[in-house]
Amino acid sequence: MKISTNQFKTGTKILLDGYPCSILSHEFHKPGKGQAVVRIKYRNLLSGNINEKTFKSSESVELADVTVREMAFLYKDESRWYFMDNTSYDQIELDEKIMVEAKKWLIGEELCEIVIWNDSAIAINVPKIVNLRIDASEPGVKGDTVSGAQKPALLETGITIQVPLFVEEGEVVKVDTRSSEYLGRANDN
């Protein structure tokens, strides 16, 4: 099935050069002279590369036949990550190549979106916000109340983020997986 460039939306999955791609952003541009164009920024779902492309406004593009399944992360072994569909109980395994960015956010039972193309998992989208325990962090200095001051904290998944001085080792914090940014303590509302 084909769609016109004026139907582009963020998140639309299209085929470019035979590869499934997801549109990250799109912009309609009408120059003073000549034909209107649509500029897109897209991610190749197989390689993960982000590119840009310009289309004439009259062009159409093939939709990529991808499906997205919500699945819960179960566990990992040496090189495989296992997920289960909570409604059908189907299980799939993903290899290290697909898990590159996602693995730093998963500890167990998180609901993730698995992108499937030609009966193979090609990408994973982790939750936008996760709760992780701080395994190591320097204690805050009493009386140090500089507004906005931060310190590094090692999370249970092995990545380090910046947290405010008052956050202590052993606490569970909310983290934005898109920016690796501290959002608050997990028990705060």
Side-chain angles (χ1 to χ4, degrees):
M1 184 170 137
K2 290 189 174 244
I3 63 167
S4 170
T5 55
N6 65 359
Q7 294 175 296
F8 283 172
K9 292 181 177 61
T10 300
T12 301
K13 311 289 190 281
I14 59 175
L15 277 179
L16 292 176
D17 302 322
Y19 298 105
C21 300
S22 179
I23 296 175
L24 302 175
S25 64
H26 58 93
E27 177 182 280
F28 181 80
H29 182 69
K30 174 77 170 122
K33 287 185 173 180
Q35 188 173 15
V37 294
V38 176
R39 292 187 185 116
I40 65 167
K41 183 182 271 191
Y42 66 93
R43 178 186 312 274
N44 180 315
L45 294 175
L46 294 182
S47 68
N49 293 339
I50 295 176
N51 298 305
E52 294 183 6
K53 186 167 177 119
T54 302
F55 296 92
K56 294 178 186 167
S57 63
S58 60
E59 283 186 84
S60 61
V61 179
E62 190 74 28
L63 278 173
D65 186 21
V66 298
T67 56
V68 177
R69 292 179 67 186
E70 187 173 77
M71 303 186 94
F73 170 56
L74 296 175
Y75 66 95
K76 85 175 265 326
D77 60 21
E78 294 83 39
S79 63
R80 310 295 263 167
W81 297 71
Y82 297 87
F83 293 81
M84 181 180 73
D85 185 313
N86 285 337
T87 53
S88 68
Y89 302 109
D90 291 340
Q91 291 187 22
I92 64 167
E93 54 187 71
L94 302 180
D95 63 23
E96 202 74 25
K97 178 180 77 169
I98 294 173
M99 295 300 298
V100 173
E101 281 297 307
K103 67 183 177 184
K104 63 185 178 184
W105 304 114
L106 301 178
I107 55 172
E109 300 183 19
E110 294 88 354
L111 287 178
C112 301
E113 293 178 340
I114 309 294
V115 181
I116 299 171
W117 183 60
N118 288 346
D119 296 325
S120 296
I122 59 170
I124 178 171
N125 300 319
V126 296
K128 291 177 178 59
I129 298 172
V130 293
N131 294 336
L132 295 171
R133 185 184 67 249
I134 295 177
D135 277 354
S137 182
E138 296 295 321
V141 178
K142 191 172 182 97
D144 192 350
T145 57
V146 175
S147 180
Q150 296 194 319
K151 63 181 180 180
L154 178 68
L155 301 177
E156 62 187 301
T157 57
I159 66 161
T160 301
I161 65 166
Q162 295 293 315
V163 298
L165 296 176
F166 60 82
V167 177
E168 298 176 11
E169 197 172 296
E171 287 190 74
V172 177
V173 295
K174 291 187 261 187
V175 183
D176 186 324
T177 59
R178 298 162 293 184
S179 63
S180 300
E181 184 180 340
Y182 166 85
L183 297 175
R185 291 177 169 141
N187 57 358
D188 291 349
N189 290 331

